Amino acid sequence: MRTNPLFDLFGKVAVVTAGGHGLGREYCIAMAEFGADVVCNDINLTLAEETLDHLRPFGHRAIAIQGDVSKPEDVERLVREGLRRFGRIDVFFCNAGTSNRFVPPHELIYEDWSKVVAINLRGTFLCMKAVLPVMLKQKKGSIINTASVAGLPGGFAPDSSVYGATKAAIIGLTRHAAVAYAREGIRINAIAPGIHDTKPVGLGISQEKQEELKPLIQARIPMGRIGEPREIKALAVYLASDASSYVTGQVFVEDGGLLA
Ligand SMILES: NC(=O)c1ccc[n+]([C@@H]2O[C@H](COP(=O)([O-])OP(=O)(O)OC[C@H]3O[C@@H](n4cnc5c(N)ncnc54)[C@H](O)[C@@H]3O)[C@@H](O)[C@H]2O)c1
């Protein structure tokens, strides 16, 4: 079934990094639901393959590719393989991200700092660097980076300093790159999610601790609840499709009113 042509992704190819879980899986589902073929990357191949099971009902092509976004060779292979299988890349979600263990800055250890910078910031840069030449050739493309409310004023969390720093840097990278490629048919935007119930696997805090923190977090959110991962899908479709053809260099906050 074709959707409204404004949001139509038929014939397009979308790559999603860290598509095996959480928001990344929702991006993959959203792309397939609106007609795109999907390349689902994850460092964990089993999770990426599980995502493919969710895409089957939509009947489009989809492949899973294992890879670590902080490694140039893995990212280059992801783009190369996506192109080899599907011939083009129209949409690229730089979604992979992780957080430091929640501690104040003076307790942060160098290894945590390096890991978060490598996956969040270097990973985003490597993905953009690998896919931009493809989109330049096509004279068209949409890159969607992943920031966070933690990278924006008002979103400060005292124990997430390196996470917040990388997300603020991703916003800077998004804006600068958007201007650089605005005349080349390439749009670059960022989504800044608020708190979503993805049961994050990379946060370094236990499931019990997450449950304990839940009421405290909910109390801070004007809508009074944590977001469902699927609630981010419409924004993803908007930014991936021609519905947002005159939109670039922007950060879209989706947070139940948290920053308001
Ligand atoms: N969930 C939230 O509340 C929230 C809020 C703001 C921003 N974000 C951002 O959204 C993105 C997704 O978050 P999530 O909560 O859905 O994540 P998640 O913890 O649910 O899933 C993370 C996925 O990333 C994969 N992964 C980890 N390291 C990787 C690497 N180096 N290369 C490729 N894949 C890797 C994991 O295997 C897993 O499938 C992240 O950038 C995160 O910072 C999430």
Side-chain angles (χ1 to χ4, degrees):
M1 189 189 64
R2 300 292 292 250
T3 51
N4 183 316
L6 202 55
F7 298 96
D8 202 344
L9 298 175
F10 275 80
K12 291 190 195 281
V13 177
V15 179
V16 180
T17 66
H21 193 264
L23 302 184
R25 176 170 288 175
E26 297 299 327
Y27 295 145
C28 290
I29 296 170
M31 294 301 100
E33 205 173 336
F34 281 74
D37 296 325
V38 174
V39 179
C40 174
N41 150 270
D42 205 283
I43 199 166
N44 181 329
L45 186 61
T46 308
L47 289 177
E49 286 172 345
E50 273 172 35
T51 293
L52 298 195
D53 293 339
H54 294 262
L55 310 186
R56 268 183 205 109
F58 304 108
H60 307 296
R61 296 178 297 175
I63 55 170
I65 298 182
Q66 192 278 337
D68 176 345
V69 297
S70 69
K71 295 188 175 156
E73 61 277 17
D74 285 17
V75 175
E76 283 155 20
R77 183 170 45 80
L78 169 66
V79 168
R80 216 174 34 243
E81 197 54 21
L83 266 184
R84 190 182 72 75
R85 296 291 296 271
F86 296 149
R88 54 185 298 115
I89 297 175
D90 302 279
V91 181
F92 199 110
F93 282 86
C94 300
N95 165 68
T98 192
S99 181
N100 53 287
R101 269 166 290 196
F102 286 170
V103 288
H106 74 282
E107 288 179 22
L108 193 60
I109 56 169
Y110 173 75
E111 286 73 17
D112 262 15
W113 170 273
S114 302
K115 184 180 171 204
V116 177
V117 171
I119 295 176
N120 295 9
L121 187 54
R122 186 166 80 208
T124 302
F125 159 70
L126 290 174
C127 290
M128 289 174 65
K129 187 171 165 56
V131 80
L132 275 164
V134 177
M135 293 181 170
L136 279 168
K137 245 190 215 162
Q138 294 170 178
K139 300 192 185 314
K140 196 164 178 179
S142 173
I143 295 175
I144 299 140
N145 289 333
T146 305
S148 163
V149 289
L152 284 162
F156 302 119
D159 291 344
S160 309
S161 53
V162 60
Y163 178 75
T166 58
K167 294 301 188 179
I170 287 169
I171 292 171
L173 181 62
T174 301
R175 291 198 171 122
H176 282 268
V179 173
Y181 299 101
R183 287 172 189 246
E184 312 288 344
I186 302 169
R187 301 183 298 103
I188 307 174
N189 292 288
I191 295 179
I195 298 150
H196 288 72
D197 195 4
T198 55
K199 313 245 176 321
V201 290
L203 277 186
I205 48 173
S206 66
Q207 198 59 52
E208 297 79 60
K209 187 77 185 163
Q210 288 178 42
E211 288 305 320
E212 185 190 317
L213 290 173
K214 210 169 170 179
L216 300 173
I217 293 168
Q218 278 170 335
R220 278 190 59 197
I221 302 171
M223 282 191 178
R225 63 178 179 85
I226 287 171
E228 292 292 331
R230 63 179 163 72
E231 291 183 282
I232 210 150
K233 283 164 60 183
L235 188 50
V237 173
Y238 169 68
L239 290 173
S241 69
D242 290 341
S244 58
S245 57
Y246 196 49
V247 177
T248 197
Q250 297 304 311
V251 182
F252 291 81
V253 176
E254 194 257 8
D255 70 347
L258 184 65
L259 293 191

